[in-house]
Amino acid sequence: MKEVDMRGTGLVAWGNEKVYAYYTTEGNTVRVRLSVDEADRLGLTAGLRVWMTLPDRKPTDVLVMRVAHAAPFVWVEMTVMSASATRSVPDTLARSI
């Protein structure tokens, strides 16, 4: 079943960190725009696998596919990992979200 496409702004959780960002989703692709400083602080690089939570959504296991710098912002493009490739949310992460 295809996820409903969405877009908006709000607090996006990256593991245990939260940042204010613009986000869009289309199918299994998630794009997030955040400041260069936030991207550097979070250590976002292609190939990084992280739990991400969009506003009003459950935590999702994503793989960072591309990080495009367009100062003063960074666009991060991610792919949602399939259920078979995803491990369950660690208890410590679930409690922190």
Side-chain angles (χ1 to χ4, degrees), residues 20-93:
Y20 189 81
Y22 172 79
Y23 55 86
T24 65
T25 67
E26 184 177 337
N28 284 339
T29 300
V30 179
R31 293 184 74 216
V32 176
R33 185 188 76 183
L34 60 155
S35 73
V36 170
D37 292 339
E38 293 286 6
D40 288 345
R41 183 175 66 82
L42 295 170
L44 298 177
T45 60
L48 178 68
R49 191 167 171 180
V50 65
W51 283 95
M52 184 187 81
T53 309
L54 295 175
D56 301 321
R57 293 287 180 106
K58 293 182 180 181
T60 304
D61 187 16
V62 296
L63 177 65
V64 176
M65 301 300 291
R66 188 169 71 106
V67 178
H69 292 265
F73 300 107
V74 171
W75 280 99
V76 182
E77 185 173 322
M78 297 154 285
T79 297
V80 175
M81 301 302 291
S82 67
S84 62
T86 301
R87 60 198 181 285
S88 63
V89 178
D91 290 337
T92 55
L93 178 59

Side-chain angles (χ1 to χ4, degrees), residues 1-6 25-29 57:
M1 179 176 189
K2 182 181 176 187
E3 287 285 325
V4 176
D5 293 346
M6 61 184 283
T25 67
E26 184 177 337
N28 284 339
T29 300
R57 293 287 180 106

